[in-house]
Amino acid sequence: MILTLVETDPEGAAIEVSLEAVSFARDISAAGNGVPVDVVVFGDVSGDLRGELAAYGVRKVHRVTGDDVAAYSGAGWASSIQQVRDAAGSVVVMAAGTDRGNELMAHVAARSGASMAANVLSFSGIAPFVVTRQVVGGAAMEEMNLHQRPAVFTVAGHAVEAKPADVAGDAEVVDHAPSIAPEDLVARVVSIAEPASGDDESGALTSARVVVGAGRGVGGPDKFGDVLELTELLGGALGVSRVVTSAGWRPHHEQVGQTGSRISPDLYVPCGISGAIQHWAGCSSAKTILAINSDAEAPMVTRATYAVIGDLHEIVPAINEEIRRRGYAG
Amino acid sequence: MVPPVSVLVCVKRVPDITEEIVLSEDGQSVDGRRSGFTMSAHEECAVELAVQAAGTGGGEATVLTIGDAEAVEQLRNALAVGCTAATHVVGEPFSFGPADVAREIAAVVRAHGEEGRAHDLVLLGNDAADTGDFQVGIRLAYELGRPVVNGASMVEIDGDHVVAVGEGPAGQETYRVPLPAVVTIREGGVEPRYPSVPGRLKAKKIPIEERQPVGEPKGGGRVRMTLPPPTPSAVQILGEGPEAAPAVVDVLEKLGVLSPGKAAQ
Ligand SMILES: Cc1cc2nc3c(=O)[nH]c(=O)nc-3n(C[C@H](O)[C@H](O)[C@H](O)COP(=O)(O)OP(=O)(O)OC[C@H]3O[C@@H](n4cnc5c(N)ncnc54)[C@H](O)[C@@H]3O)c2cc1C
Ligand SMILES: Nc1ncnc2c1ncn2[C@@H]1O[C@H](COP(=O)(O)O)[C@@H](O)[C@H]1O
């Protein structure tokens, strides 16, 4: 059996990258004589979620509940995943390459004496199991042997498409209320501060259809007026480079890149961003990139779909004006 | 009175790439000879947090690396910004997998404990900038039998506990964990300080403890590294300066990101 962690959002729906991971699990199953694909979910499994997982070809949904897992703890949740695996006997344990996914798979691997491959893009064989994964923030790849059992890894975001299965699964819900050793509960979340209103853009950034980017080229903390206006006209979110957050011009949760958020909007409009490898790692999945930069040779320009060359403080206001002139912002 | 704490912070010497990336001929590592070397951004923040945590009670902040002779540069940089001691485990870093690195760090923690300078808190980066394995800190915690908080951006010593705060899926999460503990750090919570000239001079005088690895590295299963094929530029230049605005808005219209609904608002 292949066991995939499915993470859910506050509404209880599976997050997109977890569905991608389940799709990846099906590909392994197809290459390995149809080993069943099971998932593990913490907390409630709504009818909708169960239906969706069935459409994704899932055989069993291992639902983990109980006081010990109500608050998050890396070791406690990993212990639960391991107990599910031991009960059901899985050869692969995997998750999406989210913060939680990477953390939990590292715990599972350390606990079972296995290797762990973070941010896998593809696999090239199952006996031996060889994966290709992202390294250097997505700028390079590494082929890695994962031949111990269980094979433990995470799937890089948007490495594969989330697609329902040709044949639906039963998605039979199996309940687990694991008992967890006290030492695995020592490091657990004791409180969560919900983002204050007006400061809740972090989630909005990763799911935005349009992201306007702002880099060093903006020139200073009080010079974001134009790009913020464009962001609003496009109904999008603002994403920035690390130079901008390091300088304290904008908060860190707006950072795009290797050490920030990974975005995948329909349109990304980077203004005054050079397109360093670590920034590119976070925005390469944008469907269309329209770069605004004074340097026609900047990597962001040469990699973009469209570009305008020049001073962003002249270009962006002109675009805002043109959008308004055509009646898009009454 | 805050009792003095001893913090160990683990840093890795990595290539400082921002543009073109070059691999070594055998595909086993990133060739940093042209780009130069640095430590990961997460680790710069970990160093800052280690110095702050140790500093509040007059404690020690020891920096550790497993790397070749050149990795002393990263140790000196950490000493220059306030670390008070340094340990160098001498080894070719590319032959070490994450489990090897965790085992070597654990061996140093135990040895220092036996020498009477036990580390209450071990800080690491959430993931290394080159190999990005996302796991050394967690493996270390299991080696040492200590609790671990992953991906925190702030840590503070509170008596015999560490309070660690990080960004979780539903908001800002706080952990309160008894010492000794392990915490891995993500950048964003603190501003790493720049070394001062006196800081640099002082760093030169601090002796670096040199140790040999306790085990043969098994490696991390790497077959080889590869680079994605270069994609030829297909950019369509819409124009120069503000005159390009109509062409830009044409594209926005074509992409359908300017819904008429917005016009009506
Ligand atoms: C381990 C590591 C992790 C990192 N993680 C991240 C990350 O997550 N995200 C990230 O963004 N970076 C990250 N970086 C930093 C990255 O390497 C770059 O330094 C950073 O992305 C550069 O930001 P920038 O493009 O804003 O600035 P610059 O590289 O300085 O580029 C500024 C650009 O603005 C243009 N410009 C200047 N003035 C104007 C103007 N008036 N009008 C139009 N264009 C103008 C210039 O031509 C230039 O292209 C990381 C680095 C390391 C080592
Ligand atoms: N060779 C090394 N020497 C010291 N610390 C290391 C080394 N390799 C990794 N680390 C630490 O472990 C963290 C996570 O690395 P990784 O799990 O490889 O992504 C890094 O951010 C460092 O703090």
Side-chain angles (χ1 to χ4, degrees):
Chain A
M1 181 265 273
I2 301 171
L3 185 63
T4 306
L5 169 70
V6 168
E7 293 176 69
T8 52
D9 65 18
E11 278 76 51
I15 63 172
E16 174 85 3
V17 284
S18 284
L19 294 175
E20 292 172 4
V22 174
S23 307
F24 194 103
R26 280 205 325 266
D27 291 343
I28 301 176
S29 164
N33 300 327
V35 226
V37 172
D38 286 10
V39 301
V40 56
V41 177
F42 286 84
D44 286 344
V45 175
S46 67
D48 284 356
L49 176 58
R50 190 180 164 202
E52 183 157 48
L53 293 171
Y56 272 77
V58 168
R59 180 189 64 160
K60 285 182 180 165
V61 180
H62 300 275
R63 172 170 60 190
V64 181
T65 52
D67 291 346
D68 284 353
V69 296
Y72 178 75
S73 61
W77 282 34
S79 165
S80 312
I81 295 172
Q82 248 194 328
Q83 291 179 47
V84 171
R85 167 183 124 76
D86 290 347
S90 43
V91 288
V92 176
V93 184
M94 54 186 282
T98 58
D99 295 338
R100 283 275 204 265
N102 282 324
E103 175 178 356
L104 286 169
M105 291 306 108
H107 272 278
V108 167
R111 300 172 79 92
S112 43
S115 308
M116 194 279 265
N119 296 318
V120 167
L121 298 164
S122 61
F123 64 98
S124 57
I126 55 163
F129 192 52
V130 179
V131 296
T132 299
R133 66 185 198 95
Q134 286 181 332
V135 291
V136 205
M141 278 114 59
E142 176 190 274
E143 257 175 65
M144 177 175 164
N145 267 316
L146 257 191
H147 41 235
Q148 298 132 313
R149 293 293 166 266
V152 182
F153 67 95
T154 64
V155 182
H158 309 313
V160 295
E161 209 185 316
K163 48 179 188 306
D166 296 335
V167 183
D170 292 337
E172 178 203 341
V173 176
V174 183
D175 273 305
H176 300 258
S179 71
I180 298 183
E183 65 264 28
D184 287 332
L185 295 173
V186 173
R188 73 194 300 192
V189 173
V190 290
S191 70
I192 300 178
E194 313 251 331
S197 57
D199 194 38
D200 59 352
E201 307 297 316
S202 37
L205 179 58
T206 47
S207 59
R209 267 192 74 209
V210 179
V211 175
V212 175
R216 192 203 303 266
V218 169
D222 49 357
K223 295 187 173 161
F224 280 73
D226 306 335
V227 286
L228 284 170
E229 191 179 353
L230 178 60
T231 309
E232 199 168 315
L233 288 170
L234 296 175
L238 184 72
V240 302
S241 74
R242 193 172 81 169
V243 167
V244 168
T245 55
S246 297
W249 297 353
R250 299 291 305 179
H252 185 265
H253 68 74
E254 292 180 353
Q255 182 175 317
V256 169
Q258 182 186 344
T259 52
S261 297
R262 206 177 281 249
I263 58 169
S264 48
D266 291 342
L267 173 66
Y268 183 43
V269 190
C271 307
I273 295 181
S274 62
I277 277 169
Q278 295 86 356
H279 187 86
W280 186 252
C283 69
S284 58
S285 334
K287 286 207 186 75
T288 301
I289 295 180
L290 195 166
I292 300 175
N293 200 301
S294 48
D295 176 8
E297 302 298 318
M300 187 59 92
V301 172
T302 57
R303 288 168 155 183
T305 330
Y306 304 100
V308 181
I309 309 304
D311 183 351
L312 71 93
H313 288 299
E314 294 174 10
I315 297 165
V316 175
I319 295 171
N320 294 344
E321 183 53 40
E322 180 68 13
I323 293 173
R324 273 194 299 265
R325 201 185 60 78
R326 295 193 194 182
Y328 288 104
Chain B
M1 253 289 292
V2 190
V5 290
S6 166
V7 187
L8 180 73
V9 55
C10 305
V11 305
K12 181 180 187 184
R13 177 179 168 86
V14 294
D16 186 10
I17 324 146
T18 49
E19 279 175 34
E20 206 195 342
I21 162 167
V22 183
L23 298 181
S24 65
E25 245 163 62
D26 61 4
Q28 291 304 301
S29 62
V30 181
D31 186 342
R33 280 172 304 184
R34 208 141 46 96
S35 59
F37 289 84
T38 182
M39 69 175 79
S40 307
H42 297 316
E43 292 152 36
E44 286 178 355
C45 293
V47 167
E48 178 62 32
L49 288 164
V51 170
Q52 287 181 14
T56 47
E60 279 231 57
T62 304
V63 57
L64 162 78
T65 195
I66 298 151
D68 55 19
E70 273 79 52
V72 167
E73 181 189 346
Q74 276 59 50
L75 295 178
R76 294 266 178 232
N77 289 346
L79 291 169
V81 292
C83 285
T84 49
T87 298
H88 182 195
V89 178
V90 185
E92 178 51 64
F94 303 118
S95 54
F96 286 77
D100 300 318
V101 173
R103 192 191 55 237
E104 294 299 335
I105 298 172
V108 171
V109 172
R110 282 193 212 101
H112 284 178
E114 282 158 19
E115 293 158 16
R117 47 195 211 99
H119 302 296
D120 307 297
L121 178 65
V122 185
L123 298 183
L124 305 92
N126 184 73
D127 53 280
D130 57 351
T131 52
D133 291 303
F134 290 78
Q135 57 191 273
V136 167
I138 290 167
R139 288 188 183 276
L140 173 67
Y142 284 95
E143 288 275 347
L144 294 172
R146 293 186 180 187
V148 55
V149 176
N150 207 53
S153 52
M154 280 301 291
V155 293
E156 248 171 45
I157 304 293
D158 177 15
D160 54 1
H161 281 66
V162 57
V163 176
V165 180
E167 212 51 56
Q172 205 177 53
E173 298 174 333
T174 301
Y175 295 78
R176 190 166 183 279
V177 179
L179 296 171
V182 176
V183 180
T184 77
I185 302 299
R186 239 195 294 270
E187 74 160 349
V190 279
E191 216 24 75
R193 71 190 78 175
Y194 284 105
S196 61
V197 174
R200 286 211 175 278
L201 290 176
K202 204 172 129 204
K204 279 204 188 121
K205 298 202 190 97
I206 299 175
I208 290 176
E209 177 201 18
E210 205 174 286
R211 304 183 84 99
Q212 295 305 313
V214 293
E216 267 304 307
K218 292 197 190 69
R222 178 178 309 135
V223 181
R224 73 178 71 80
M225 286 189 180
T226 54
L227 293 177
T231 38
S233 175
V235 64
Q236 184 184 336
I237 304 288
L238 297 173
E240 287 195 16
E243 289 74 47
V248 170
V249 182
D250 287 348
V251 167
L252 299 178
E253 282 181 337
K254 193 183 82 183
L255 294 172
V257 293
L258 286 169
S259 63
K262 275 179 204 138
Q265 276 175 18

